[in-house]
Amino acid sequence: MNMFEHVTVIKKANVYYNGKVTSRTVYLEDGTRKTLGIILPGEYEFGTDEREKMEVLAGTLHVLLPGEENWTSYGEGQAFEVPSNSKFKVSADDVADYCCSYIHE
Amino acid sequence: MNMFEHVTVIKKANVYYNGKVTSRTVYLEDGTRKTLGIILPGEYEFGTDEREKMEVLAGTLHVLLPGEENWTSYGEGQAFEVPSNSKFKVSADDVADYCCSYIHE
């Protein structure tokens, strides 16, 4: 699926780390929240409230999940999940494009 | 209007200048194309096909329109238009968030 149809998009961006990570919030018809984001080269830490599924749309993300000792890399078309109420680190060597789905439990 | 409803969003981002300018494409119900974008600090040149209306959602954009000798600054809530089939320069000192509307003539 290369597009989201019949959705609501919040105009203003979400901006983190001086704009090196930015995203737009999209709500699907069923209320599911997603963000479409860009990660520029660098290393960043984020916290989750809900469980998150991160899908790489372009580029590569290196991820250090909570409790893990080793980073794992995810390329275009790959995805990883982050538990709710946790912190994870993500880094990119080049521009990365992602879609994050928030999983209400 | 702080959101677009009943729209189609293309998942993959549009990436320019190594990610220093990125945007997502949104199609309204009537087929109107818009992009929601981020401009990081720097100076950039873009070309237009259709006429474009650029609305600043956050931050400030400095713009050199075609045929102009002086740059003009536009802050949050302000907008400027760029003629079709032209080139313009835009610069930002800090992160800027914008909405571009493509005006089919």
Side-chain angles (χ1 to χ4, degrees), chain A residues 4 9 13 24 37 76 97, chain B residues 4 9 12-13 24 37 76 97:
Chain A
F4 292 124
V9 181
R24 304 276 169 183
E76 183 171 333
D97 187 6
Chain B
F4 292 124
V9 181
K12 277 205 178 185
R24 302 277 168 182
E76 183 171 331
D97 188 6

Side-chain angles (χ1 to χ4, degrees), chain B residues 38-82:
Chain B
I38 292 286
I39 296 178
L40 296 186
E43 181 181 317
Y44 315 96
E45 185 174 58
F46 288 98
T48 65
D49 290 322
E50 295 179 289
R51 184 155 63 94
E52 297 185 5
K53 180 183 177 185
M54 289 278 287
E55 175 194 358
V56 180
L57 302 178
T60 299
L61 288 179
H62 311 295
V63 183
L64 185 64
L65 290 172
E68 298 284 334
E69 288 181 5
N70 298 308
W71 291 72
T72 306
S73 298
Y74 298 87
E76 183 171 331
Q78 296 187 305
F80 59 92
E81 290 203 3
V82 186

